[in-house]
Amino acid sequence: MSEIQISTLALILSIIPVTLHGIEVLFPMQTRWIVNWVLPFFGLKTPSKSSALTRNEQINMIDAALEAAPEKKKTNAKDYLFLLLFEQRQGAIGFTAVAIGAIYGMNLELAARQPLHLVFGVVAVLMMLVNANQAGFLPFFGKHPKISKHGKNVGIVFTPFWFAVALLNYLAFTYVSI
């Protein structure tokens, strides 16, 4: 593979997350779509309308979490729930920015892509580490207290994906650095 092909492949692979998460910039509750129609495949199951969460059920779950908070801490509980959905949107913004940068970068000469490969390489390494952690491979790298079976399987599948993205970005970055 040529240097420009490696660079272009690294950029294309960096676009993939926005295809699932981009909509969450506008609609953070759309994570329901991923839970309903994507994650079942990570449990080797076919998605089913009968087990799919509705928006009203999501709201009820959020309301139940708020109700479970001690009365004196309701304000903090509301802020915590707000922050979860706000950070969902911020993550989607990050994926959207990466996708736009990758699309733009494919129109640049190889040397001009170097900053993109640095940033996308760092993103890929951190995503690889987080996925490896939720798969159980790196228990020292933080703790997610509610990893589901499907979440663990996502980590198992996406750790090598993010490794490949990191490696391609590293190669593309070092090609232009030499």
Side-chain angles (χ1 to χ4, degrees), residues 68-145:
E71 198 57 44
K72 290 181 178 181
K73 298 180 181 181
K74 291 288 187 194
T75 298
N76 284 4
K78 287 177 186 177
D79 288 343
Y80 176 72
L81 294 171
F82 157 76
L83 199 55
L84 288 176
L85 292 173
F86 182 62
E87 288 185 355
Q88 187 68 33
R89 294 179 88 180
Q90 289 178 319
I93 288 167
F95 284 135
T96 302
V98 165
I100 291 168
I103 291 166
Y104 173 75
M106 284 187 266
N107 296 302
L108 300 174
E109 293 182 21
L110 188 60
R113 296 178 180 189
Q114 187 177 25
L116 291 173
H117 290 302
L118 174 64
V119 171
F120 296 172
V122 170
V123 168
V125 166
L126 294 173
M127 292 295 285
M128 177 187 65
L129 293 172
V130 167
N131 276 274
N133 173 257
Q134 72 191 33
F137 303 138
L138 295 175
F140 58 86
F141 195 77
K143 172 104 173 86
H144 185 310

Side-chain angles (χ1 to χ4, degrees), residues 35-95:
V35 167
N36 290 339
W37 309 110
V38 177
L39 286 185
F41 290 110
F42 290 92
L44 302 177
K45 296 179 182 173
T46 304
S48 163
K49 188 169 181 154
S50 64
S51 64
L53 290 171
T54 66
R55 186 178 193 289
N56 286 341
E57 289 166 337
Q58 274 183 297
I59 296 294
N60 290 340
M61 291 165 56
I62 291 169
D63 290 343
L66 182 58
E67 285 301 312
E71 198 57 44
K72 290 181 178 181
K73 298 180 181 181
K74 291 288 187 194
T75 298
N76 284 4
K78 287 177 186 177
D79 288 343
Y80 176 72
L81 294 171
F82 157 76
L83 199 55
L84 288 176
L85 292 173
F86 182 62
E87 288 185 355
Q88 187 68 33
R89 294 179 88 180
Q90 289 178 319
I93 288 167
F95 284 135

